[in-house]
Each structure stands twice: as C-alpha cells, then as structure tokens.
Amino acid sequence: AGRMALAGGEAWEARGFFERALREGYPKGPGYSALAEAWLALDNRLFYARQALERSLEADPDHVENWLRLARVNLKLEGSDADRRARRALHEVLRRDPLHEEAYRHWSRMYLDPEDSRVLAGIFAEALEQDYDPELALRRIDVLADAGEHEAAREAIEGFRRRIREERYLTRLSHLAGVVLAALGEPRTGAAYYFNGLRFARTETDIEPYYRDVEPLLSEAERSAWEGWTPERRRAFLTGWWNRRNPLPFSDVNERW
C-alpha cells in the first residue's frame, strides 16, 4: 500500500504505511529504505530521510545505493557535521565499489581535506592489493597528490610503470608524474612529463585531467566552446593556452605552469 501511494504521488500517506509496516515487523533494511524514499519525496524532510537511511544501513550495511543516498542527503544539508557524514558515506560506497563514478565525482567536488584524502588513498590501496586495476591505481595517485603525499605518489607512479605497459594510460600517467615531480622540487623533469603527455593526448579521457587544471581560469565563453570541440581542437587549445602564458618561451620550464 505504501508503494502504491508513493507511486501515486501521495508521499505523506506512503510514509504512514511504511511506518506501520515497520511497527508490524517488516524487515528494517528495506523498510527504512522505503521510508527514506517517502521523506525525500516531501519538501524539507532531509533530516528525517537521513535518520531513516541510517537505520536502514544499520540493518543492511552493504547497501551501496543507500550509502550513496545518505551522502547526497548530507551534501544537501551542508554544514561541518553534514560534510563529515557525507565523506564517511562516500568512503563506504568506494570501499565496496572503488571505481564507483558518481561517488568519486561527489567526493572530488568537496573542498580539499588532506586527511580525508589520505583515508581514501588507504581505501584504494586495500582494493589494489586484491586486484590491481589501472584506472583505480591512477585515481589513487591523484588522491595522494591532493593529500600532499608526493613521495608516496612517486612510488605509486613507479609501481604503475612496472606493472602496466599499455599505451592508453601513458598520457594520464605523464600528467600525474609532471604534477608530482614539480611538487617534489623537480620542475624541469615535471614539465617535460606534463607537456609531453599533453602532446600525445588523443582521447577525451586523456585530455580531461589537463583541462581540469585550467578550467577555473577559463572564461565562460571558453568553457562553453570546449563542449563542442574535437579532442584535437581541445589539445591544441590547451597547448596554445600554456604557450601564450609562458614568460620565458626559450627556457626548459614554463614558469607560469
């Protein structure tokens, strides 16, 4: 009856049915999950939805979608306590599914917290011990760099090179090597890796990290135009963008970079 009411747009009535079902012994995992759906369908009921999701996860802690819902609710609530809860929920998603795209996208858009980045790098390291996935390994290197763990990031880059020989990962690895080496006080070598990686970027996936580096500095018109460009046009734009801002074009390092 609660499901029928919710499907018919009667969220308040559905809430009553779900609460009654729980009182009558309906399993807490799916029962509180359904109750959270009803609260989310109502205006300004995020605290109640959060409470229901937490009760559901107490009963079924491996429900990835509910951890993700809990993170979304906390991101909407904002505030320091909600931020902490959102990060924990996203960690739980990524602990169970390390390559979960939406969870990682939400996490990467939160403000940079080096300690939180170190926790996530640890979660990824545990997953890589079980199965060395190249995409996850690159993601861990990126997280380590954001955490300021540049020596650990360099070790991870060297480990990646020993394990993975496929060319399709080289441009993104060069991007990370450039950033990490520059942070370690080796800007000449870092710049060589970075711009060599950009030179050989061919796909949207290759080019994307180079774009992220400059996106906040672009004009609204440039960001809009980017969406319609081919990978070749995008690569040429990024190369030209850096070249125009090089104060000493004949030196080995673009100081602006």
Side-chain angles (χ1 to χ4, degrees), residues 111-177:
Y111 72 85
L112 183 60
D113 180 331
E115 181 56 37
D116 184 64
S117 296
R118 284 189 279 271
V119 171
L120 189 58
I123 291 171
F124 289 164
E126 290 177 10
L128 287 166
E129 288 177 5
Q130 302 299 317
D131 178 19
Y132 193 88
D133 184 286
E135 293 292 344
L136 183 59
L138 289 171
R139 187 173 285 183
R140 177 173 176 262
I141 295 167
D142 199 15
V143 171
L144 285 169
D146 280 345
E149 301 288 341
H150 298 114
E151 283 292 355
R154 174 159 36 192
E155 291 177 12
I157 289 169
E158 293 305 319
F160 190 101
R161 288 194 178 115
R162 288 193 296 270
R163 286 172 173 263
I164 306 298
R165 304 290 184 181
E166 295 174 60
E167 290 188 3
R168 62 192 172 117
Y169 300 111
L170 292 181
T171 57
R172 284 181 287 161
L173 190 66
S174 292
H175 170 272
L176 291 166

Side-chain angles (χ1 to χ4, degrees), residues 16-88:
F17 280 122
F18 293 144
E19 288 179 341
R20 177 179 172 180
L22 284 161
R23 287 194 301 273
E24 292 173 350
Y26 196 82
K28 291 183 178 180
Y32 279 108
S33 180
L35 180 59
E37 287 184 54
W39 285 124
L40 288 170
L42 295 163
D43 293 332
N44 301 315
R45 297 295 197 279
L46 292 175
F47 283 104
Y48 294 104
R50 181 169 74 181
Q51 185 178 50
L53 286 167
E54 289 173 344
R55 295 287 298 275
S56 176
L57 287 162
E58 286 174 6
D60 184 5
D62 289 323
H63 197 300
V64 171
E65 183 58 31
N66 275 347
W67 281 116
L68 187 60
R69 285 180 182 146
L70 183 59
R72 291 195 202 109
V73 167
N74 281 299
L75 288 170
K76 288 180 181 177
L77 285 169
E78 299 181 332
S80 60
D81 180 58
D83 176 89
R84 177 181 58 79
R85 289 169 180 253
R87 290 177 189 274
R88 176 176 178 264

